[in-house]
């Protein structure tokens, strides 16, 4: 059996819009009320998947969940005319950010030798808290092979869990046993800390991880206050490498020591504040990158184009490529529509280490399938949504039908 890393990207849903719903997410707040372009957004996402696939990497996807969510509006007795934020929550396409769909512990790390996935409860934000039952339905289908996978529901809601965005894995190769690092925040700052330590510890237990191969690290409260609402806004890991901002963790040196104690081969690529400030790192999403091992065994960093447009960030990237470090290539991709809501290349994907033959093939991408997905998006996704369109019945019908058209083309009618 050959275990590889498969990136499952969330296809941007047809109701993608900018409602400013996420307190502590600077991009979401600053683009509140802007017109959105769902068709362009979804096509940008597919182009990113194609670009990674063309480099010889395994690629999967998840479908948008059903929106608008009438049940949520009913449960909250929301008045669509006056409760605009609740209405927008029921329309949110936020399930596109699949780094928040679940936490994944690959088979070599777990006691029963299966890959464990726990859907994230996302309780901190109402528009995200509604996602997980529909996300779990998809995990149950994609990873139905119980010889190889165990899919768990969400951790009970008092403990906030935001999934893989606050989880890193260090290993010699994706198919070998790894050390799993859970990054949590502490409350008390001006923005909510969305990942709670208790949720992370519960996931480590339910996944059957070896306590010696787990590390729990506190995120730097200054990073959360500066807009790093998930750890993946300030660091990313792949195999032996941790690519991180100097101010990512509450105790930076202590964090490296703790990881190194469990995983001595750790290689840290640290970006100092003097080269790229925390604010600039968060604005450009340098760390919300996909750090990928290419078939050549070299590592490439897939960053948003905002990084190339930033003088200090790009200078740093060029220096890094010229040095003899582990990251040899930096690949800018245009995901501006998602970025304007605080979702970069890394937010848009969930990494699952598995043998692709054990995954439901309907969730795996090929060039031909990407053609079919693009055709449905081009034909049915709304071109533009203005804030005043949210709640419009004709648009609601278009959003529902667009998703259903995609399910039909992908033979995933059981999600109807
Ligand atoms: O949860 N934005 C998302 C972005 C998630 C990014 N994911 C990772 N970092 N892994 C969030 O804050 C904005 C929606 C709006 O305002 O309309 C939003 O939900």
């Amino acid at each position: 059996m050959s275990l590889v890393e498969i990136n499952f990207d969330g296809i941007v849903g047809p109701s993608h819009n900018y409602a400013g719903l996420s307190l502590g997410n600077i991009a979401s707040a600053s683009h509140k009320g802007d017109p959105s372009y769902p068709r362009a957004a979804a096509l940008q996402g597919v182009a990113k998947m194609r670009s990674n696939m063309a480099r010889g990497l395994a690629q999967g996807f998840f479908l948008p969940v059903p929106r608008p969510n009438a049940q949520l509006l009913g449960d909250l007795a929301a008045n669509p005319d006056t409760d605009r934020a609740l209405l927008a929550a029921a329309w949110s396409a936020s399930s596109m950010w699949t780094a928040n769909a679940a936490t994944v512990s690959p088979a070599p790390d777990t006691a029963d030798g299966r890959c464990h996935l726990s859907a994230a409860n996302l309780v901190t934000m109402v528009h995200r808290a509604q996602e997980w039952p529909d996300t779990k339905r998809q995990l149950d289908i994609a990873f139905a092979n119980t010889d190889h996978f165990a899919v768990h529901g969400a951790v009970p809601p008092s403990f906030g869990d935001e999934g893989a965005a606050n989880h890193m894995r260090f290993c010699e190769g994706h198919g070998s046993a790894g050390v799993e690092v859970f990054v949590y925040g502490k409350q008390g700052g001006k923005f909510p800390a969305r990942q709670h330590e208790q949720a992370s510890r519960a996931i480590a237990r339910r996944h059957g991880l070896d306590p010696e191969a787990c590390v729990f690290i506190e995120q730097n409260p200054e990073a959360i206050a500066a807009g790093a609402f998930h750890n993946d806004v300030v660091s990313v890991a792949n195999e032996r490498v941790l690519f991180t901002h100097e101010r990512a963790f509450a105790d930076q040196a202590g964090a490296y020591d703790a990881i190194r104690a469990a995983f001595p081969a750790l290689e840290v690529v640290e970006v100092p504040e003097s080269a790229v400030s925390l604010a600039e790192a968060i604005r450009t999403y340098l760390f919300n990158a996909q750090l990928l091992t290419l078939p050549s065994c070299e590592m490439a960093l897939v960053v948003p184009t905002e990084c190339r447009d930033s003088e200090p960030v790009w200078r740093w990237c060029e220096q890094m490529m010229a040095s003899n470090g582990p990251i040899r290539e930096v690949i800018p991709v245009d995901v501006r529509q998602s970025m304007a809501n605080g979702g970069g290349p890394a937010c848009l994907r969930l990494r699952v280490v598995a043998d692709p033959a054990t995954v439901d093939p309907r969730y795996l991408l090929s060039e031909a399938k990407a053609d079919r997905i693009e055709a449905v998006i081009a034909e049915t996704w709304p071109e533009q949504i203005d804030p005043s369109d949210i709640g419009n019945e004709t648009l609601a019908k278009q959003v529902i039908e667009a998703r259903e058209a995609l399910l039909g083309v992908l033979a995933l009618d059981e999600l109807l």
Side-chain angles (χ1 to χ4, degrees), residues 214 289 357 359 373:
C214 291
V359 176
I373 294 171

Side-chain angles (χ1 to χ4, degrees), residues 235-257:
S235 24
V236 59
N238 180 52
E239 295 182 335
R240 296 156 165 243
V241 177
L242 170 63
F243 177 55
T244 185
H245 192 271
E246 160 178 39
R247 295 171 63 200
F249 308 114
D251 172 3
Q252 197 80 14
Y256 300 159
D257 287 348

Side-chain angles (χ1 to χ4, degrees), residues 17-22 25 28-29 92 94 97 99-100 125 127-128 162 165 194 229-230 232-233 285 288 341-344 346-348:
N17 71 92
Y18 300 120
L21 297 174
S22 278
N25 171 340
S28 153
S92 180
S94 54
W97 298 298
N100 307 118
M125 304 283 161
H127 69 291
R128 304 227 56 187
E162 304 263 329
R194 299 206 213 171
F229 54 93
H230 292 136
D232 70 0
V233 176
Y285 265 34
N288 199 263
N341 247 340
C347 299
L348 285 162

Side-chain angles (χ1 to χ4, degrees), residues 171-382:
C171 53
E172 292 293 344
H174 293 133
S176 47
V179 165
E180 300 198 15
V181 175
F182 296 82
V183 184
Y184 59 88
K186 282 194 183 151
Q187 305 303 343
K190 67 173 175 172
F191 295 140
R194 299 206 213 171
Q195 183 72 37
H196 301 181
E197 181 180 359
Q198 288 295 4
S200 300
R201 290 190 182 273
I203 287 167
R205 289 192 296 271
R206 71 208 319 230
H207 287 190
L209 301 181
D210 174 359
E212 300 291 309
C214 291
V215 182
F216 297 87
I217 293 176
E218 188 194 340
Q219 198 184 352
N220 185 355
E222 289 171 10
I224 299 176
F229 54 93
H230 292 136
N231 174 62
D232 70 0
V233 176
V234 281
S235 24
V236 59
N238 180 52
E239 295 182 335
R240 296 156 165 243
V241 177
L242 170 63
F243 177 55
T244 185
H245 192 271
E246 160 178 39
R247 295 171 63 200
F249 308 114
D251 172 3
Q252 197 80 14
Y256 300 159
D257 287 348
I259 300 171
R260 210 165 259 131
F263 185 76
L266 175 71
E267 255 181 89
V268 179
V269 179
E270 183 188 86
V271 181
E273 176 78 22
S274 57
V276 178
S277 68
L278 188 57
E280 187 64 355
I282 292 171
R283 192 186 70 76
T284 59
Y285 265 34
L286 169 62
F287 299 97
N288 199 263
Q290 288 186 263
L291 185 53
L292 299 164
T293 305
L294 301 175
S296 64
C297 292
E298 291 196 334
M299 284 192 203
L301 192 69
V302 175
V303 298
T305 45
E306 283 79 351
C307 292
R308 193 181 48 201
D309 299 341
S310 158
E311 209 268 317
V313 171
W314 198 243
R315 187 174 350 114
W316 201 89
C317 287
E318 287 186 324
Q319 276 169 16
M320 178 176 74
M321 284 187 277
S323 75
N324 214 14
I327 305 173
R328 292 304 168 87
E329 199 185 347
V330 179
I331 304 167
V333 291
D334 178 2
V335 287
R336 285 180 194 275
Q337 281 290 308
S338 169
M339 280 287 285
N341 247 340
C347 299
L348 285 162
R349 61 91 177 97
L350 181 70
R351 293 182 282 191
V352 179
V353 170
D355 179 344
T358 62
V359 176
D360 187 313
R362 292 174 296 174
Y363 279 94
L364 296 175
L365 195 66
S366 62
E367 287 297 339
K369 208 182 278 185
D371 290 344
R372 293 203 296 276
I373 294 171
E374 278 175 348
V376 174
I377 292 168
E379 201 180 318
T380 65
W381 256 233

